Amino acid sequence: QSVLTQPPSVSAAPGQKVTISCSGSSSNIGSNYVCWYQQLPGTAPKLLIYENNRRPSGIPDRFSGSKSGTSATLDITGLQTGDEADYYCGTWDTRLSALFGGGTKLTVL
Amino acid sequence: QVQLQESGPGLVKPSQTLSLTCTVSGDSISSDPYYWSWIRQSAGKALEWIGRISSDGRTNYSPSLKSRVTISADTSKNQFSLKLTSVTASDTAVYYCARLLILSAYPRFFDPWGQGTLVTVSS
């Protein structure tokens, strides 16, 4: 069981908005940056958001992240069928060991 | 463009040692401010961090795997490697290597990742 808690699944229709939550504690999310990774079916995870809310080059602004206290959220607007994937939050603990959430499967209805 | 590629046996017998290598192209594993990491993903889909090695050879391991893990680097080949001893079926997973950015002594993110390699532990 992951230290970071994510909903197992979320779904929404094309064009709509979805929010994925990631809940942790003061010893991980509360004191470190949060990242989000997108894993399309059959592929490796890909960096989507880093340092809580920054997007790497090439990531559309439909994807946004935020952090408040010991929780973080990933928002995806203007949903597309190509956004169907597993999404993972990630951060570090007090010993700077990496932690990941259990993953959330996004279904675009 | 930085690319990472995992290689190694896809089948390991229980109690034996799992050995994988990650070959890096487009960047030097000796370059700051990057570390080089191993991460695995079981069939149940959770990602699990295994450990990392710095550009100057310092290592950090997951507390849960520390007693069985060794990560090393060969700068002449621009490769880093993973050894996991005394494997059991629970070590069956897709193993990824990834580059980790660390700034001001704080890790920031894993990017890019290798494509991953499936290792099955079975007799």
Side-chain angles (χ1 to χ4, degrees):
Chain A
Q1 190 162 350
S2 301
V3 173
L4 306 179
T5 302
Q6 297 182 236
S9 64
V10 295
S11 61
Q16 303 231 314
K17 173 185 173 180
V18 70
T19 295
I20 299 174
S21 61
C22 176
S23 178
S25 69
S26 58
S27 63
N28 44 64
I29 289 178
S31 51
N32 286 289
Y33 287 116
V34 175
C35 303
W36 289 90
Y37 301 91
Q38 178 192 56
Q39 186 173 31
L40 296 169
T43 70
K46 171 187 169 183
L47 181 65
L48 201 60
I49 298 288
Y50 67 98
E51 292 180 4
N52 305 330
N53 55 19
R54 302 183 69 177
R55 285 185 308 276
S57 173
I59 300 300
D61 59 6
R62 301 188 297 107
F63 296 91
S64 63
S66 63
K67 174 185 137 176
S68 178
T70 60
S71 294
T73 58
L74 172 69
D75 288 326
I76 310 173
T77 60
L79 274 174
Q80 302 175 0
T81 55
D83 296 333
E84 284 205 337
D86 292 327
Y87 292 85
Y88 294 89
C89 59
T91 189
W92 285 265
D93 65 16
T94 52
R95 290 169 295 191
L96 301 183
S97 294
L99 302 173
F100 295 99
T104 299
K105 181 177 180 61
L106 168 63
T107 300
V108 181
L109 302 169
Chain B
Q1 181 183 358
V2 181
Q3 292 184 311
L4 292 82
Q5 178 69 58
E6 305 88 351
S7 59
L11 181 64
V12 181
K13 289 180 166 48
S15 80
Q16 294 194 341
T17 297
L18 179 160
S19 296
L20 295 174
T21 295
C22 182
T23 301
V24 179
S25 59
D27 192 6
S28 168
I29 65 169
S30 301
S31 66
D32 284 329
Y34 297 109
Y35 281 50
W36 305 90
S37 284
W38 287 98
I39 298 160
R40 69 182 183 179
Q41 184 172 34
S42 62
K45 88 173 182 181
L47 294 166
E48 180 181 19
W49 176 71
I50 299 171
R52 60 178 179 249
I53 187 165
S54 70
S55 58
D56 60 359
R58 288 170 288 142
T59 54
N60 299 96
Y61 301 127
S62 165
S64 65
L65 296 170
K66 185 175 183 177
S67 64
R68 299 194 291 131
V69 172
T70 302
I71 296 176
S72 59
D74 184 339
T75 55
S76 67
K77 295 181 179 179
N78 215 36
Q79 295 174 334
F80 63 104
S81 298
L82 167 70
K83 289 190 186 301
L84 181 66
T85 62
S86 304
V87 297
T88 68
S90 63
D91 294 310
T92 293
V94 175
Y95 286 76
Y96 296 100
C97 55
R99 187 179 69 172
L100 170 64
L101 175 66
I102 292 188
L103 293 176
S104 303
Y106 279 88
R108 304 304 176 105
F109 53 81
F110 295 102
D111 180 64
W113 298 53
Q115 67 183 28
T117 187
L118 174 63
V119 178
T120 301
V121 178
S122 175
S123 55

